[in-house]
């Protein structure tokens, strides 16, 4: 039967309300050992969302830094967050860029990654881990099953061989599981290249979400992506200031300055662009979220820092309303579209 796979088990799609489609619930604290329990923090951060009709959060944390452990153990925390918050939580599975990936991810080929993703969806996240002999570990009993493939990334202005392997593995896992594919673009670049790779693997475009398109400065580029028939995400709402994420220098690096690039993407600009796309008839292809983390809350005190997850429904939707976006279009972007993507229907 058609269903949405949550961390607590399958749920009928009709039971879901509005959805935050790209979040990282275990990345809200600055680091371990600082006296902040990640489950307590997440439950507190989610409080009050149901007043705005939001009852579902998609956690798109990949394997690697601040993401999934190799054995999937931290997904048990997502289950506890779901129980205590009363919200539906969906866990994604993916790898990330090589600079932030563990050695086993960097060494894996397409076939190995595909097997891993399929096991994450069918047996539970971490159930497909292999040891040095290439043998699987665990039976998946009690594990959290993935409900979407993502966020699968590409870099800034390039698709590396590592990233292409991950995209192709996600595509092949889609065919085996029926899960939708959600991607990470670095500031909106390489979206069309992602689509070309997924096309080669035969993934239906309507089952693809291209992420972070709200961060690309050229609206015509976003229109070209929409014209292919994929879905796109305006999923950095409230993230107006941040440092361009770069690999940290090695521990052996000498003392001195290591410059970073600082970025700004105004939510007024986001609202202007999104309202224009909605007026042009694209609301049926857009998903909304915030990609909120503890670091982003620190960098954005007026948005994420003040409002947390409530910023999108309490503030940003008001900016859209001022620009002519009505409740019906909001319902499409916050509920209809993400629920359609999260619904797994192997009969179709």
């Amino acid at each position: 039967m058609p269903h949405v796979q949550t961390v607590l088990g399958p749920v009928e799609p009709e039971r879901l309300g509005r959805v935050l489609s790209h979040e990282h619930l275990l990345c809200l604290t600055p680091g371990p050992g600082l006296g902040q329990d990640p489950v307590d923090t997440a439950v507190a951060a989610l409080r009050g969302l149901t007043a705005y009709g939001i009852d579902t959060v998609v956690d798109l944390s990949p394997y690697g830094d601040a993401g999934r452990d190799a054995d999937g153990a931290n997904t048990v925390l997502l289950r506890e967050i779901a129980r205590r918050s009363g919200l539906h939580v969906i866990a994604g599975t993916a790898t990330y860029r090589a600079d932030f990936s563990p050695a086993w991810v960097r060494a894996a080929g397409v076939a190995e990654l595909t097997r891993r993703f399929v096991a994450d969806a069918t047996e539970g996240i971490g159930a497909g881990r292999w040891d040095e002999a290439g043998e699987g570990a665990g039976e998946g009993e009690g594990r959290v099953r993935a409900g979407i493939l993502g966020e699968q990334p590409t870099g800034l202005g390039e698709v590396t061989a590592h990233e292409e392997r991950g995209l192709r593995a996600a595509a092949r896992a889609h065919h085996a599981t029926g899960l939708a594919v959600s991607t990470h673009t670095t500031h909106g670049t390489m979206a069309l290249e992602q689509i070309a790779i997924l096309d080669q693997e035969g993934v239906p475009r309507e089952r693809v979400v291209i992420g972070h398109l709200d961060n690309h400065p050229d609206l015509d580029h976003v229109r070209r992506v929409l014209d292919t028939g994929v879905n796109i995400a305006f999923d950095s709402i409230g993230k107006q200031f941040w440092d361009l994420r770069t690999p940290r220098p090695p521990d052996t690096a000498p003392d001195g300055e290591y410059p970073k690039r600082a970025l700004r993407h105004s939510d007024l600009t986001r609202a202007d662009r999104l309202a224009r796309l909605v007026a042009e008839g694209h609301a049926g292809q857009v998903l909304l979220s915030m990609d909120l983390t503890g670091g982003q809350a620190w960098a954005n005190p007026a948005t994420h820092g003040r409002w947390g997850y409530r910023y999108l429904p309490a503030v940003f939707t008001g900016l859209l309303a001022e620009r002519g976006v009505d409740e019906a279009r909001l319902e499409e972007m916050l509920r209809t579209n993400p629920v359609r993507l999260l619904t797994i229907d192997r009969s179709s």
Side-chain angles (χ1 to χ4, degrees):
M1 295 292 292
H3 67 281
V4 173
Q5 182 64 47
T6 79
V7 298
L8 296 179
V11 172
E12 295 174 354
E14 296 78 13
R15 291 176 55 190
L16 270 59
R18 290 182 168 183
V19 180
L20 294 181
S21 58
H22 184 140
E23 300 300 337
H24 303 282
L25 291 171
L26 297 174
C27 296
L28 302 178
T29 56
L34 298 178
Q36 292 176 282
D37 181 270
V39 174
D40 289 344
T41 301
V43 172
L46 295 168
R47 197 168 293 133
L49 280 181
T50 55
Y52 300 95
I54 295 173
D55 68 1
T56 303
V57 180
V58 182
D59 187 289
L60 290 182
S61 302
Y63 284 100
D65 286 3
R68 307 281 179 248
D69 295 334
D71 61 1
N74 60 8
T75 56
V76 175
L77 302 180
L78 295 180
R79 183 178 285 160
E80 184 63 17
I81 291 168
R83 288 192 179 115
R84 288 176 52 186
S85 69
L87 302 185
H88 302 296
V89 176
I90 291 96
T93 184
T95 61
Y96 201 58
R97 287 153 48 194
D99 295 336
F100 307 102
S101 293
W104 70 263
V105 170
R106 297 194 300 272
V110 174
E112 292 173 327
L113 291 175
T114 302
R115 181 172 68 84
R116 176 65 175 247
F117 293 157
V118 172
D120 286 350
T122 58
E123 301 173 56
I125 294 173
R129 182 169 63 89
W130 49 89
D131 58 20
E132 292 180 357
E135 298 171 350
E139 298 297 327
E141 183 177 358
R143 296 181 184 270
V144 168
R145 292 186 180 184
I148 190 168
L149 296 157
E151 60 176 310
Q152 195 63 47
T154 54
L156 182 63
E158 66 174 351
V159 181
T160 67
H162 166 87
E163 292 157 359
E164 182 174 344
R165 288 195 296 273
L167 279 169
R168 293 192 184 279
R172 296 175 192 185
H174 156 79
H175 291 299
T177 65
L179 300 189
V181 178
S182 181
T183 76
H184 162 102
T185 64
T186 302
H187 304 299
T189 66
M190 313 312 290
L192 294 171
E193 289 79 1
Q194 289 184 355
I195 295 166
I197 291 170
L198 296 173
D199 279 351
Q200 291 171 8
E201 296 289 341
V203 181
R205 291 179 175 179
E206 65 271 15
R207 297 294 289 161
V208 173
V209 186
I210 305 296
H212 305 323
L213 266 294
D214 52 334
N215 295 327
H216 197 285
D218 182 359
L219 192 59
D220 283 338
H221 171 78
V222 179
R223 290 187 179 103
R224 287 194 293 274
V225 176
L226 284 164
D227 286 345
T228 69
V230 300
N231 305 276
I232 70 167
F234 269 52
D235 51 8
S236 303
I237 292 166
K239 194 186 290 189
Q240 301 188 113
F241 300 94
W242 72 93
D243 291 337
L244 182 66
R245 192 177 188 194
T246 55
R248 60 179 176 265
D251 292 339
T252 56
D255 293 347
E257 294 185 3
Y258 291 87
K260 288 187 176 182
R261 292 172 56 194
L263 302 175
R264 170 172 164 77
H265 292 292
S266 166
D267 273 346
L268 297 178
T269 302
R270 275 196 184 90
D272 286 342
R273 291 176 174 170
L274 182 53
R276 289 174 66 181
L277 294 175
V278 169
E280 293 166 7
H282 294 296
Q285 293 171 262
V286 179
L287 287 74
L288 304 180
S289 206
M290 297 173 57
D291 198 15
L292 190 153
T293 67
Q296 299 302 343
W298 175 86
N300 295 274
T303 58
H304 291 184
R306 177 180 177 186
W307 294 90
Y309 288 120
R310 293 181 299 116
Y311 175 74
L312 194 165
V315 180
F316 188 77
T317 58
L319 297 179
L320 294 178
E322 291 171 2
R323 290 157 175 78
V325 178
D326 61 19
E327 280 295 315
R329 303 291 80 75
L330 280 176
E331 186 74 358
E332 279 190 89
M333 294 186 287
L334 280 168
R335 184 183 183 279
T336 306
N337 300 339
V339 172
R340 169 172 51 82
L341 268 295
L342 292 168
T343 298
I344 304 163
D345 185 0
R346 301 298 286 155
S347 66
S348 62

